mmCIF file of all heavy atoms in Angstrom:
data_model
loop_
_atom_site.group_PDB
_atom_site.id
_atom_site.type_symbol
_atom_site.label_atom_id
_atom_site.label_comp_id
_atom_site.label_asym_id
_atom_site.label_seq_id
_atom_site.Cartn_x
_atom_site.Cartn_y
_atom_site.Cartn_z
ATOM 1 N N ILE A 1 -159.132 52.606 -84.093
ATOM 2 C CA ILE A 1 -158.850 52.194 -85.471
ATOM 3 C C ILE A 1 -157.426 52.586 -85.868
ATOM 4 O O ILE A 1 -156.765 51.868 -86.610
ATOM 5 C CB ILE A 1 -159.887 52.804 -86.436
ATOM 6 C CG1 ILE A 1 -161.238 52.085 -86.262
ATOM 7 C CG2 ILE A 1 -159.431 52.686 -87.894
ATOM 8 C CD1 ILE A 1 -162.328 52.568 -87.185
ATOM 9 N N ASP A 2 -156.934 53.688 -85.345
ATOM 10 C CA ASP A 2 -155.571 54.137 -85.668
ATOM 11 C C ASP A 2 -154.549 53.041 -85.401
ATOM 12 O O ASP A 2 -153.623 52.822 -86.200
ATOM 13 C CB ASP A 2 -155.194 55.376 -84.853
ATOM 14 C CG ASP A 2 -155.837 56.636 -85.399
ATOM 15 O OD1 ASP A 2 -156.633 56.521 -86.347
ATOM 16 O OD2 ASP A 2 -155.557 57.730 -84.878
ATOM 17 N N ASN A 3 -154.696 52.357 -84.277
ATOM 18 C CA ASN A 3 -153.730 51.328 -83.892
ATOM 19 C C ASN A 3 -154.088 49.945 -84.422
ATOM 20 O O ASN A 3 -153.400 48.964 -84.101
ATOM 21 C CB ASN A 3 -153.600 51.275 -82.365
ATOM 22 C CG ASN A 3 -152.982 52.534 -81.804
ATOM 23 O OD1 ASN A 3 -152.063 53.104 -82.388
ATOM 24 N ND2 ASN A 3 -153.499 52.992 -80.668
ATOM 25 N N ASN A 4 -155.150 49.868 -85.187
ATOM 26 C CA ASN A 4 -155.560 48.580 -85.742
ATOM 27 C C ASN A 4 -155.764 48.669 -87.256
ATOM 28 O O ASN A 4 -156.633 48.008 -87.826
ATOM 29 C CB ASN A 4 -156.855 48.100 -85.072
ATOM 30 C CG ASN A 4 -156.618 47.634 -83.653
ATOM 31 O OD1 ASN A 4 -156.109 46.541 -83.417
ATOM 32 N ND2 ASN A 4 -156.955 48.478 -82.690
ATOM 33 N N SER A 5 -154.955 49.487 -87.882
ATOM 34 C CA SER A 5 -154.994 49.610 -89.338
ATOM 35 C C SER A 5 -153.574 49.648 -89.878
ATOM 36 O O SER A 5 -152.663 50.170 -89.224
ATOM 37 C CB SER A 5 -155.761 50.868 -89.761
ATOM 38 O OG SER A 5 -155.187 52.026 -89.194
ATOM 39 N N ILE A 6 -153.381 49.077 -91.053
ATOM 40 C CA ILE A 6 -152.064 49.004 -91.690
ATOM 41 C C ILE A 6 -152.167 49.650 -93.067
ATOM 42 O O ILE A 6 -153.043 49.288 -93.864
ATOM 43 C CB ILE A 6 -151.596 47.543 -91.852
ATOM 44 C CG1 ILE A 6 -151.565 46.843 -90.493
ATOM 45 C CG2 ILE A 6 -150.224 47.488 -92.514
ATOM 46 C CD1 ILE A 6 -151.282 45.341 -90.604
ATOM 47 N N TYR A 7 -151.285 50.589 -93.355
ATOM 48 C CA TYR A 7 -151.276 51.200 -94.689
ATOM 49 C C TYR A 7 -150.894 50.154 -95.726
ATOM 50 O O TYR A 7 -149.917 49.418 -95.565
ATOM 51 C CB TYR A 7 -150.286 52.371 -94.727
ATOM 52 C CG TYR A 7 -150.108 52.922 -96.125
ATOM 53 C CD1 TYR A 7 -151.118 53.657 -96.740
ATOM 54 C CD2 TYR A 7 -148.938 52.669 -96.844
ATOM 55 C CE1 TYR A 7 -150.961 54.146 -98.031
ATOM 56 C CE2 TYR A 7 -148.777 53.151 -98.137
ATOM 57 C CZ TYR A 7 -149.793 53.886 -98.721
ATOM 58 O OH TYR A 7 -149.639 54.353 -100.007
ATOM 59 N N LEU A 8 -151.664 50.103 -96.822
ATOM 60 C CA LEU A 8 -151.420 49.130 -97.880
ATOM 61 C C LEU A 8 -150.804 49.754 -99.127
ATOM 62 O O LEU A 8 -149.703 49.403 -99.537
ATOM 63 C CB LEU A 8 -152.729 48.425 -98.265
ATOM 64 C CG LEU A 8 -153.417 47.618 -97.173
ATOM 65 C CD1 LEU A 8 -154.677 46.959 -97.717
ATOM 66 C CD2 LEU A 8 -152.463 46.568 -96.594
ATOM 67 N N PHE A 9 -151.536 50.698 -99.746
ATOM 68 C CA PHE A 9 -151.088 51.287 -101.003
ATOM 69 C C PHE A 9 -151.944 52.505 -101.307
ATOM 70 O O PHE A 9 -152.926 52.796 -100.605
ATOM 71 C CB PHE A 9 -151.180 50.273 -102.154
ATOM 72 C CG PHE A 9 -152.492 49.528 -102.215
ATOM 73 C CD1 PHE A 9 -153.623 50.106 -102.770
ATOM 74 C CD2 PHE A 9 -152.605 48.242 -101.705
ATOM 75 C CE1 PHE A 9 -154.831 49.438 -102.818
ATOM 76 C CE2 PHE A 9 -153.811 47.557 -101.739
ATOM 77 C CZ PHE A 9 -154.922 48.149 -102.308
ATOM 78 N N GLU A 10 -151.574 53.187 -102.385
ATOM 79 C CA GLU A 10 -152.312 54.355 -102.845
ATOM 80 C C GLU A 10 -152.657 54.180 -104.313
ATOM 81 O O GLU A 10 -151.837 53.711 -105.090
ATOM 82 C CB GLU A 10 -151.450 55.612 -102.668
ATOM 83 C CG GLU A 10 -152.024 56.878 -103.282
ATOM 84 C CD GLU A 10 -150.987 57.982 -103.356
ATOM 85 O OE1 GLU A 10 -150.071 57.997 -102.518
ATOM 86 O OE2 GLU A 10 -151.090 58.827 -104.266
ATOM 87 N N ILE A 11 -153.874 54.514 -104.689
ATOM 88 C CA ILE A 11 -154.268 54.531 -106.098
ATOM 89 C C ILE A 11 -154.756 55.931 -106.427
ATOM 90 O O ILE A 11 -155.795 56.365 -105.947
ATOM 91 C CB ILE A 11 -155.355 53.493 -106.414
ATOM 92 C CG1 ILE A 11 -154.820 52.073 -106.163
ATOM 93 C CG2 ILE A 11 -155.815 53.620 -107.872
ATOM 94 C CD1 ILE A 11 -155.820 50.965 -106.470
ATOM 95 N N ASP A 12 -153.944 56.634 -107.202
ATOM 96 C CA ASP A 12 -154.271 57.990 -107.647
ATOM 97 C C ASP A 12 -154.705 58.909 -106.506
ATOM 98 O O ASP A 12 -155.743 59.573 -106.578
ATOM 99 C CB ASP A 12 -155.349 57.947 -108.727
ATOM 100 C CG ASP A 12 -154.864 58.559 -110.038
ATOM 101 O OD1 ASP A 12 -153.701 58.318 -110.406
ATOM 102 O OD2 ASP A 12 -155.634 59.296 -110.670
ATOM 103 N N GLY A 13 -153.922 58.918 -105.467
ATOM 104 C CA GLY A 13 -154.188 59.821 -104.353
ATOM 105 C C GLY A 13 -155.116 59.279 -103.291
ATOM 106 O O GLY A 13 -155.298 59.914 -102.252
ATOM 107 N N VAL A 14 -155.720 58.107 -103.529
ATOM 108 C CA VAL A 14 -156.603 57.492 -102.538
ATOM 109 C C VAL A 14 -155.807 56.462 -101.738
ATOM 110 O O VAL A 14 -155.264 55.512 -102.303
ATOM 111 C CB VAL A 14 -157.807 56.808 -103.212
ATOM 112 C CG1 VAL A 14 -158.700 56.157 -102.150
ATOM 113 C CG2 VAL A 14 -158.596 57.812 -104.037
ATOM 114 N N ASN A 15 -155.725 56.677 -100.424
ATOM 115 C CA ASN A 15 -154.993 55.753 -99.557
ATOM 116 C C ASN A 15 -155.898 54.612 -99.099
ATOM 117 O O ASN A 15 -157.071 54.828 -98.747
ATOM 118 C CB ASN A 15 -154.454 56.485 -98.325
ATOM 119 C CG ASN A 15 -153.383 57.485 -98.678
ATOM 120 O OD1 ASN A 15 -152.541 57.231 -99.534
ATOM 121 N ND2 ASN A 15 -153.414 58.638 -98.022
ATOM 122 N N PHE A 16 -155.327 53.400 -99.070
ATOM 123 C CA PHE A 16 -156.063 52.218 -98.619
ATOM 124 C C PHE A 16 -155.351 51.617 -97.405
ATOM 125 O O PHE A 16 -154.135 51.422 -97.416
ATOM 126 C CB PHE A 16 -156.146 51.177 -99.735
ATOM 127 C CG PHE A 16 -157.084 51.565 -100.847
ATOM 128 C CD1 PHE A 16 -156.656 52.396 -101.870
ATOM 129 C CD2 PHE A 16 -158.392 51.113 -100.856
ATOM 130 C CE1 PHE A 16 -157.517 52.771 -102.896
ATOM 131 C CE2 PHE A 16 -159.261 51.475 -101.872
ATOM 132 C CZ PHE A 16 -158.826 52.304 -102.895
ATOM 133 N N PHE A 17 -156.155 51.323 -96.374
ATOM 134 C CA PHE A 17 -155.649 50.728 -95.148
ATOM 135 C C PHE A 17 -156.391 49.419 -94.887
ATOM 136 O O PHE A 17 -157.592 49.308 -95.144
ATOM 137 C CB PHE A 17 -155.852 51.662 -93.959
ATOM 138 C CG PHE A 17 -154.921 52.830 -93.921
ATOM 139 C CD1 PHE A 17 -155.124 53.935 -94.744
ATOM 140 C CD2 PHE A 17 -153.824 52.835 -93.058
ATOM 141 C CE1 PHE A 17 -154.258 55.022 -94.706
ATOM 142 C CE2 PHE A 17 -152.964 53.924 -93.015
ATOM 143 C CZ PHE A 17 -153.167 55.014 -93.840
ATOM 144 N N LEU A 18 -155.660 48.451 -94.347
ATOM 145 C CA LEU A 18 -156.260 47.188 -93.926
ATOM 146 C C LEU A 18 -156.641 47.300 -92.456
ATOM 147 O O LEU A 18 -155.819 47.678 -91.620
ATOM 148 C CB LEU A 18 -155.264 46.046 -94.120
ATOM 149 C CG LEU A 18 -155.739 44.648 -93.707
ATOM 150 C CD1 LEU A 18 -156.847 44.164 -94.633
ATOM 151 C CD2 LEU A 18 -154.561 43.666 -93.722
ATOM 152 N N LEU A 19 -157.895 46.997 -92.140
ATOM 153 C CA LEU A 19 -158.365 47.013 -90.755
ATOM 154 C C LEU A 19 -158.147 45.636 -90.141
ATOM 155 O O LEU A 19 -158.538 44.622 -90.725
ATOM 156 C CB LEU A 19 -159.843 47.387 -90.685
ATOM 157 C CG LEU A 19 -160.400 47.662 -89.281
ATOM 158 C CD1 LEU A 19 -159.743 48.881 -88.671
ATOM 159 C CD2 LEU A 19 -161.906 47.847 -89.340
ATOM 160 N N ILE A 20 -157.505 45.594 -88.974
ATOM 161 C CA ILE A 20 -157.215 44.324 -88.311
ATOM 162 C C ILE A 20 -157.730 44.365 -86.875
ATOM 163 O O ILE A 20 -157.951 45.434 -86.294
ATOM 164 C CB ILE A 20 -155.701 44.021 -88.311
ATOM 165 C CG1 ILE A 20 -154.924 45.135 -87.595
ATOM 166 C CG2 ILE A 20 -155.185 43.858 -89.736
ATOM 167 C CD1 ILE A 20 -153.445 44.838 -87.414
ATOM 168 N N ASN A 21 -157.960 43.176 -86.328
ATOM 169 C CA ASN A 21 -158.294 43.015 -84.889
ATOM 170 C C ASN A 21 -159.604 43.672 -84.467
ATOM 171 O O ASN A 21 -159.861 43.791 -83.269
ATOM 172 C CB ASN A 21 -157.163 43.558 -84.001
ATOM 173 C CG ASN A 21 -155.834 42.897 -84.280
ATOM 174 O OD1 ASN A 21 -155.777 41.710 -84.588
ATOM 175 N ND2 ASN A 21 -154.756 43.672 -84.201
ATOM 176 N N ILE A 22 -160.416 44.107 -85.411
ATOM 177 C CA ILE A 22 -161.715 44.701 -85.085
ATOM 178 C C ILE A 22 -162.791 43.987 -85.897
ATOM 179 O O ILE A 22 -162.690 43.899 -87.126
ATOM 180 C CB ILE A 22 -161.749 46.213 -85.383
ATOM 181 C CG1 ILE A 22 -160.761 46.961 -84.479
ATOM 182 C CG2 ILE A 22 -163.157 46.775 -85.187
ATOM 183 C CD1 ILE A 22 -160.687 48.454 -84.746
ATOM 184 N N ASN A 23 -163.795 43.477 -85.226
ATOM 185 C CA ASN A 23 -164.878 42.768 -85.897
ATOM 186 C C ASN A 23 -165.957 43.761 -86.322
ATOM 187 O O ASN A 23 -166.600 44.382 -85.481
ATOM 188 C CB ASN A 23 -165.469 41.703 -84.965
ATOM 189 C CG ASN A 23 -166.563 40.903 -85.640
ATOM 190 O OD1 ASN A 23 -166.504 40.659 -86.849
ATOM 191 N ND2 ASN A 23 -167.554 40.489 -84.867
ATOM 192 N N VAL A 24 -166.136 43.922 -87.617
ATOM 193 C CA VAL A 24 -167.116 44.864 -88.155
ATOM 194 C C VAL A 24 -168.312 44.086 -88.697
ATOM 195 O O VAL A 24 -168.161 43.233 -89.571
ATOM 196 C CB VAL A 24 -166.501 45.738 -89.265
ATOM 197 C CG1 VAL A 24 -167.550 46.690 -89.839
ATOM 198 C CG2 VAL A 24 -165.308 46.519 -88.730
ATOM 199 N N GLU A 25 -169.478 44.384 -88.189
ATOM 200 C CA GLU A 25 -170.683 43.692 -88.613
ATOM 201 C C GLU A 25 -171.281 44.347 -89.860
ATOM 202 O O GLU A 25 -171.082 45.532 -90.125
ATOM 203 C CB GLU A 25 -171.729 43.706 -87.483
ATOM 204 C CG GLU A 25 -171.266 43.042 -86.204
ATOM 205 C CD GLU A 25 -171.118 41.533 -86.347
ATOM 206 O OE1 GLU A 25 -171.738 40.972 -87.267
ATOM 207 O OE2 GLU A 25 -170.382 40.936 -85.537
ATOM 208 N N GLU A 26 -172.051 43.554 -90.604
ATOM 209 C CA GLU A 26 -172.785 44.089 -91.746
ATOM 210 C C GLU A 26 -173.890 45.023 -91.261
ATOM 211 O O GLU A 26 -174.373 44.917 -90.138
ATOM 212 C CB GLU A 26 -173.428 42.953 -92.553
ATOM 213 C CG GLU A 26 -172.461 42.094 -93.334
ATOM 214 C CD GLU A 26 -173.192 41.094 -94.210
ATOM 215 O OE1 GLU A 26 -174.283 40.638 -93.796
ATOM 216 O OE2 GLU A 26 -172.708 40.785 -95.295
ATOM 217 N N GLU A 27 -174.266 45.924 -92.110
ATOM 218 C CA GLU A 27 -175.422 46.766 -91.865
ATOM 219 C C GLU A 27 -176.075 47.065 -93.206
ATOM 220 O O GLU A 27 -175.674 46.520 -94.240
ATOM 221 C CB GLU A 27 -175.009 48.052 -91.146
ATOM 222 C CG GLU A 27 -173.931 48.855 -91.857
ATOM 223 C CD GLU A 27 -173.512 50.063 -91.046
ATOM 224 O OE1 GLU A 27 -172.766 49.914 -90.057
ATOM 225 O OE2 GLU A 27 -173.948 51.168 -91.417
ATOM 226 N N GLU A 28 -177.087 47.910 -93.196
ATOM 227 C CA GLU A 28 -177.836 48.156 -94.434
ATOM 228 C C GLU A 28 -176.939 48.649 -95.564
ATOM 229 O O GLU A 28 -177.083 48.229 -96.719
ATOM 230 C CB GLU A 28 -178.938 49.189 -94.180
ATOM 231 C CG GLU A 28 -179.814 49.451 -95.412
ATOM 232 C CD GLU A 28 -180.939 50.424 -95.117
ATOM 233 O OE1 GLU A 28 -181.091 50.831 -93.943
ATOM 234 O OE2 GLU A 28 -181.655 50.786 -96.054
ATOM 235 N N LYS A 29 -176.000 49.495 -95.267
ATOM 236 C CA LYS A 29 -175.150 50.106 -96.287
ATOM 237 C C LYS A 29 -173.971 49.235 -96.683
ATOM 238 O O LYS A 29 -173.502 49.270 -97.824
ATOM 239 C CB LYS A 29 -174.637 51.452 -95.775
ATOM 240 C CG LYS A 29 -173.859 52.263 -96.794
ATOM 241 C CD LYS A 29 -173.461 53.613 -96.203
ATOM 242 C CE LYS A 29 -172.697 54.457 -97.204
ATOM 243 N NZ LYS A 29 -172.309 55.774 -96.625
ATOM 244 N N TRP A 30 -173.468 48.425 -95.743
ATOM 245 C CA TRP A 30 -172.245 47.653 -95.967
ATOM 246 C C TRP A 30 -172.525 46.164 -95.857
ATOM 247 O O TRP A 30 -173.092 45.703 -94.867
ATOM 248 C CB TRP A 30 -171.170 48.052 -94.942
ATOM 249 C CG TRP A 30 -170.922 49.522 -94.862
ATOM 250 C CD1 TRP A 30 -171.285 50.361 -93.850
ATOM 251 C CD2 TRP A 30 -170.275 50.336 -95.839
ATOM 252 N NE1 TRP A 30 -170.915 51.638 -94.124
ATOM 253 C CE2 TRP A 30 -170.273 51.660 -95.343
ATOM 254 C CE3 TRP A 30 -169.683 50.082 -97.075
ATOM 255 C CZ2 TRP A 30 -169.717 52.715 -96.048
ATOM 256 C CZ3 TRP A 30 -169.125 51.132 -97.776
ATOM 257 C CH2 TRP A 30 -169.144 52.432 -97.269
ATOM 258 N N LYS A 31 -172.101 45.411 -96.863
ATOM 259 C CA LYS A 31 -172.298 43.966 -96.885
ATOM 260 C C LYS A 31 -170.986 43.274 -97.252
ATOM 261 O O LYS A 31 -170.202 43.786 -98.049
ATOM 262 C CB LYS A 31 -173.376 43.575 -97.916
ATOM 263 C CG LYS A 31 -174.734 44.234 -97.699
ATOM 264 C CD LYS A 31 -175.419 43.739 -96.439
ATOM 265 C CE LYS A 31 -176.790 44.361 -96.264
ATOM 266 N NZ LYS A 31 -177.446 43.949 -94.999
ATOM 267 N N TYR A 32 -170.778 42.096 -96.677
ATOM 268 C CA TYR A 32 -169.610 41.296 -97.047
ATOM 269 C C TYR A 32 -169.883 40.565 -98.366
ATOM 270 O O TYR A 32 -170.955 39.983 -98.550
ATOM 271 C CB TYR A 32 -169.272 40.283 -95.959
ATOM 272 C CG TYR A 32 -168.545 40.894 -94.783
ATOM 273 C CD1 TYR A 32 -169.223 41.195 -93.604
ATOM 274 C CD2 TYR A 32 -167.187 41.182 -94.867
ATOM 275 C CE1 TYR A 32 -168.557 41.758 -92.527
ATOM 276 C CE2 TYR A 32 -166.512 41.751 -93.790
ATOM 277 C CZ TYR A 32 -167.204 42.045 -92.626
ATOM 278 O OH TYR A 32 -166.545 42.614 -91.568
ATOM 279 N N GLU A 33 -168.919 40.638 -99.266
ATOM 280 C CA GLU A 33 -169.020 39.987 -100.567
ATOM 281 C C GLU A 33 -167.764 39.151 -100.786
ATOM 282 O O GLU A 33 -166.645 39.575 -100.465
ATOM 283 C CB GLU A 33 -169.150 41.022 -101.691
ATOM 284 C CG GLU A 33 -169.281 40.449 -103.081
ATOM 285 C CD GLU A 33 -170.560 39.630 -103.253
ATOM 286 O OE1 GLU A 33 -171.651 40.221 -103.142
ATOM 287 O OE2 GLU A 33 -170.444 38.409 -103.478
ATOM 288 N N THR A 34 -167.937 37.938 -101.327
ATOM 289 C CA THR A 34 -166.792 37.086 -101.614
ATOM 290 C C THR A 34 -165.876 37.774 -102.625
ATOM 291 O O THR A 34 -166.332 38.212 -103.685
ATOM 292 C CB THR A 34 -167.257 35.735 -102.174
ATOM 293 O OG1 THR A 34 -168.147 35.122 -101.240
ATOM 294 C CG2 THR A 34 -166.079 34.803 -102.401
ATOM 295 N N ILE A 35 -164.589 37.859 -102.294
ATOM 296 C CA ILE A 35 -163.651 38.563 -103.163
ATOM 297 C C ILE A 35 -163.623 37.950 -104.553
ATOM 298 O O ILE A 35 -163.582 38.658 -105.560
ATOM 299 C CB ILE A 35 -162.247 38.573 -102.529
ATOM 300 C CG1 ILE A 35 -162.264 39.395 -101.242
ATOM 301 C CG2 ILE A 35 -161.212 39.134 -103.511
ATOM 302 C CD1 ILE A 35 -160.949 39.394 -100.484
ATOM 303 N N LEU A 36 -163.663 36.622 -104.634
ATOM 304 C CA LEU A 36 -163.631 35.949 -105.938
ATOM 305 C C LEU A 36 -164.809 36.369 -106.810
ATOM 306 O O LEU A 36 -164.679 36.474 -108.037
ATOM 307 C CB LEU A 36 -163.629 34.428 -105.757
ATOM 308 C CG LEU A 36 -163.507 33.586 -107.022
ATOM 309 C CD1 LEU A 36 -162.181 33.876 -107.730
ATOM 310 C CD2 LEU A 36 -163.622 32.101 -106.700
ATOM 311 N N MET A 37 -165.969 36.650 -106.194
ATOM 312 C CA MET A 37 -167.163 37.005 -106.958
ATOM 313 C C MET A 37 -167.120 38.445 -107.465
ATOM 314 O O MET A 37 -168.001 38.865 -108.203
ATOM 315 C CB MET A 37 -168.423 36.782 -106.112
ATOM 316 C CG MET A 37 -168.591 35.341 -105.625
ATOM 317 S SD MET A 37 -168.472 34.114 -106.956
ATOM 318 C CE MET A 37 -169.963 34.489 -107.874
ATOM 319 N N LEU A 38 -166.098 39.200 -107.082
ATOM 320 C CA LEU A 38 -165.967 40.569 -107.565
ATOM 321 C C LEU A 38 -165.323 40.634 -108.948
ATOM 322 O O LEU A 38 -165.131 41.725 -109.492
ATOM 323 C CB LEU A 38 -165.124 41.398 -106.590
ATOM 324 C CG LEU A 38 -165.714 41.634 -105.198
ATOM 325 C CD1 LEU A 38 -164.748 42.482 -104.372
ATOM 326 C CD2 LEU A 38 -167.078 42.308 -105.288
ATOM 327 N N ARG A 39 -164.995 39.496 -109.524
ATOM 328 C CA ARG A 39 -164.323 39.476 -110.831
ATOM 329 C C ARG A 39 -165.064 40.304 -111.874
ATOM 330 O O ARG A 39 -164.457 40.918 -112.739
ATOM 331 C CB ARG A 39 -164.205 38.031 -111.340
ATOM 332 C CG ARG A 39 -163.267 37.154 -110.544
ATOM 333 C CD ARG A 39 -163.377 35.722 -111.014
ATOM 334 N NE ARG A 39 -162.904 35.581 -112.384
ATOM 335 C CZ ARG A 39 -161.784 34.946 -112.729
ATOM 336 N NH1 ARG A 39 -161.019 34.411 -111.809
ATOM 337 N NH2 ARG A 39 -161.429 34.846 -113.980
ATOM 338 N N ASP A 40 -166.389 40.322 -111.812
ATOM 339 C CA ASP A 40 -167.189 41.020 -112.820
ATOM 340 C C ASP A 40 -167.743 42.348 -112.321
ATOM 341 O O ASP A 40 -168.624 42.935 -112.952
ATOM 342 C CB ASP A 40 -168.343 40.115 -113.287
ATOM 343 C CG ASP A 40 -167.849 38.825 -113.918
ATOM 344 O OD1 ASP A 40 -166.827 38.875 -114.633
ATOM 345 O OD2 ASP A 40 -168.464 37.771 -113.689
ATOM 346 N N ALA A 41 -167.256 42.832 -111.180
ATOM 347 C CA ALA A 41 -167.758 44.082 -110.610
ATOM 348 C C ALA A 41 -167.102 45.291 -111.278
ATOM 349 O O ALA A 41 -166.152 45.175 -112.047
ATOM 350 C CB ALA A 41 -167.511 44.103 -109.104
ATOM 351 N N ASN A 42 -167.617 46.475 -110.955
ATOM 352 C CA ASN A 42 -167.089 47.735 -111.486
ATOM 353 C C ASN A 42 -166.947 48.743 -110.349
ATOM 354 O O ASN A 42 -167.677 48.672 -109.357
ATOM 355 C CB ASN A 42 -168.046 48.303 -112.551
ATOM 356 C CG ASN A 42 -168.052 47.471 -113.810
ATOM 357 O OD1 ASN A 42 -167.026 47.318 -114.464
ATOM 358 N ND2 ASN A 42 -169.208 46.929 -114.165
ATOM 359 N N PRO A 43 -166.029 49.728 -110.515
ATOM 360 C CA PRO A 43 -165.044 49.865 -111.582
ATOM 361 C C PRO A 43 -163.854 48.937 -111.354
ATOM 362 O O PRO A 43 -163.605 48.489 -110.226
ATOM 363 C CB PRO A 43 -164.627 51.329 -111.490
ATOM 364 C CG PRO A 43 -164.786 51.660 -110.041
ATOM 365 C CD PRO A 43 -165.979 50.860 -109.577
ATOM 366 N N MET A 44 -163.075 48.682 -112.426
ATOM 367 C CA MET A 44 -162.003 47.707 -112.353
ATOM 368 C C MET A 44 -160.947 48.077 -111.315
ATOM 369 O O MET A 44 -160.409 47.214 -110.624
ATOM 370 C CB MET A 44 -161.355 47.552 -113.734
ATOM 371 C CG MET A 44 -160.264 46.489 -113.780
ATOM 372 S SD MET A 44 -160.892 44.829 -113.443
ATOM 373 C CE MET A 44 -161.822 44.553 -114.958
ATOM 374 N N TRP A 45 -160.647 49.378 -111.163
ATOM 375 C CA TRP A 45 -159.567 49.737 -110.245
ATOM 376 C C TRP A 45 -159.929 49.429 -108.797
ATOM 377 O O TRP A 45 -159.053 49.114 -107.977
ATOM 378 C CB TRP A 45 -159.168 51.209 -110.416
ATOM 379 C CG TRP A 45 -160.136 52.234 -109.898
ATOM 380 C CD1 TRP A 45 -161.178 52.773 -110.559
ATOM 381 C CD2 TRP A 45 -160.117 52.851 -108.602
ATOM 382 N NE1 TRP A 45 -161.831 53.700 -109.769
ATOM 383 C CE2 TRP A 45 -161.183 53.778 -108.558
ATOM 384 C CE3 TRP A 45 -159.284 52.740 -107.486
ATOM 385 C CZ2 TRP A 45 -161.458 54.554 -107.447
ATOM 386 C CZ3 TRP A 45 -159.561 53.517 -106.359
ATOM 387 C CH2 TRP A 45 -160.628 54.407 -106.353
ATOM 388 N N LYS A 46 -161.228 49.471 -108.480
ATOM 389 C CA LYS A 46 -161.639 49.114 -107.126
ATOM 390 C C LYS A 46 -161.632 47.598 -106.926
ATOM 391 O O LYS A 46 -161.355 47.117 -105.820
ATOM 392 C CB LYS A 46 -163.013 49.703 -106.821
ATOM 393 C CG LYS A 46 -162.996 51.222 -106.679
ATOM 394 C CD LYS A 46 -164.346 51.768 -106.262
ATOM 395 C CE LYS A 46 -164.297 53.295 -106.112
ATOM 396 N NZ LYS A 46 -165.610 53.857 -105.740
ATOM 397 N N VAL A 47 -161.927 46.849 -107.975
ATOM 398 C CA VAL A 47 -161.791 45.396 -107.901
ATOM 399 C C VAL A 47 -160.325 45.035 -107.638
ATOM 400 O O VAL A 47 -160.011 44.166 -106.820
ATOM 401 C CB VAL A 47 -162.285 44.732 -109.199
ATOM 402 C CG1 VAL A 47 -162.057 43.216 -109.153
ATOM 403 C CG2 VAL A 47 -163.764 45.035 -109.431
#
């Protein structure tokens, strides 16, 4: 993952990285959601 992630930005001390070149499957805890449908999600800073 170290060589397949790109630093994006920081929000209040939390670093965000984009994962590339690795196919991650859904599981019970993690699901893919359409980005456009997150318009009404919470909290706003994570949207």
Side-chain angles (χ1 to χ4, degrees):
I1 287 182
D2 283 5
N3 293 321
N4 287 283
S5 57
I6 303 173
Y7 173 72
L8 298 181
F9 47 80
E10 172 193 332
I11 297 181
D12 240 41
V14 179
N15 293 321
F16 288 84
F17 286 77
L18 179 68
L19 190 65
I20 59 173
N21 303 325
I22 295 178
N23 182 34
V24 179
E25 300 291 339
E26 289 186 327
E27 55 184 76
E28 183 177 356
K29 186 177 181 180
W30 308 108
K31 303 292 182 183
Y32 282 101
E33 181 64 64
T34 303
I35 294 176
L36 184 62
M37 301 308 292
L38 294 180
R39 292 172 66 110
D40 299 322
N42 290 299
M44 183 64 71
W45 72 273
K46 290 185 179 178
V47 176

